Amino acid sequence: MDVTKVIKQHLEMEQFFSGFSLKGKAGATEPRPSKTGRGEPQQQEDKMADPEKAAELEKIAEEVHQCRKCSLGSLRTNAVPGEGNSNARIMFVGEGPGADEDAQGRPFVGRAGQLLDRVIVAMGLKRSEVFIGNILKCRPPENRDPRADEIISCLPYLQRQIEIIEPEIIVALGAHAARTLLNTTKSIGQLRGQFHEYYAGLGRPPIKLMATYHTAYLLRNYSQENRRRVWEDMKKVLTELGLPIPEHSAG
Ligand code: SF4
């Protein structure tokens, strides 16, 4: 065993998650973009965004806000269309909104969202540079698993968002997102850690997809091993994009 390599990996992993308090309060962390559907745009997002794509995403967000295609539409406080940069190189896709997201109408804003923010920062990126969405745009009651009929009703919104943004890489967070986008029944343990291909439609080149643990799962199972696995997955994403792997990423 290469002890130096093991120590280096451990230090990298610690830096990756340093500063994140498991007992921390839910709430906003910087940087924050506007949501694509509503709210104040930020300068950072504007700089990178493509106005035509942003307008198309806005249209989808408005449709989502009006949507009643499945029963979740009548149970939500707010729909959560997704938010971020219309020219994002990376799209993070989770399963569906939780209580905090339902209350605010924005994706990944609770404790799992804070951890995702740290992951993004650790990668040397800003939240305003990526796009964050979910398979379902409305919260399932009690955060239960998405039902097949709900996924079938809602997935076209995400598919259209992917077609518009044309990310280079999709990061599927958790089993539901990975299985849905890859049309497989494999476990997240089988899927994570390697690139797969997401097919956006006829005539479109496949998009690389990296599956990894959902940050909510990571919070519940906050072991060194799980954190290291997510970090290793994100390093592969950075390498694939030709981006540097930060050495002091999340201090
Ligand atoms: S979950 Fe999706 S399909 Fe169902 S009501 Fe909400 S936006 Fe519409």
Side-chain angles (χ1 to χ4, degrees), residues 9-124:
Q9 279 181 344
H10 179 77
L11 288 173
E12 272 182 3
M13 187 268 291
E14 286 300 314
Q15 285 162 2
F16 180 41
F17 290 103
S18 65
F20 179 76
S21 168
L22 282 174
K23 308 232 181 269
K25 286 188 211 159
T29 53
E30 293 298 327
R32 286 293 196 195
S34 68
K35 64 178 174 178
T36 308
R38 294 171 187 178
E40 294 299 318
Q42 283 192 348
Q43 286 181 347
Q44 177 76 25
E45 189 174 355
D46 285 348
K47 261 190 238 166
M48 292 178 59
D50 176 318
E52 279 182 29
K53 288 184 172 189
E56 287 181 68
L57 292 172
E58 175 83 19
K59 193 163 161 282
I60 294 173
E62 288 305 324
E63 284 177 41
V64 166
H65 286 300
Q66 304 296 325
C67 183
R68 295 285 190 276
K69 283 200 290 179
C70 79
S71 60
L72 299 180
S74 57
L75 301 174
R76 71 188 177 216
T77 306
N78 288 295
V80 184
E83 68 183 24
N85 200 289
S86 52
N87 257 341
R89 298 182 73 190
I90 307 176
M91 275 182 84
F92 289 90
V93 177
E95 163 185 333
D100 293 304
E101 291 74 21
D102 179 62
Q104 296 186 41
R106 299 182 54 214
F108 283 86
V109 290
R111 290 180 61 233
Q114 290 178 50
L115 183 51
L116 179 61
D117 285 351
R118 292 211 64 80
V119 171
I120 292 167
V121 171
M123 294 170 77

Side-chain angles (χ1 to χ4, degrees), residues 162-173:
I162 294 171
E163 280 175 26
I164 292 165
I165 295 167
E166 297 178 300
E168 288 166 63
I169 292 184
I170 296 169
V171 176
L173 297 162

Side-chain angles (χ1 to χ4, degrees), residues 151-195:
I151 292 174
I152 289 168
S153 298
C154 208
L155 191 58
Y157 293 124
L158 178 68
Q159 289 169 330
R160 284 167 60 198
Q161 288 171 323
I162 294 171
E163 280 175 26
I164 292 165
I165 295 167
E166 297 178 300
E168 288 166 63
I169 292 184
I170 296 169
V171 176
L173 297 162
H176 288 289
R179 285 183 192 150
T180 301
L181 293 174
L182 295 174
N183 194 22
T184 178
T185 55
K186 287 183 180 173
S187 70
I188 188 67
Q190 290 172 298
L191 294 170
R192 63 150 288 277
Q194 55 192 304
F195 283 109

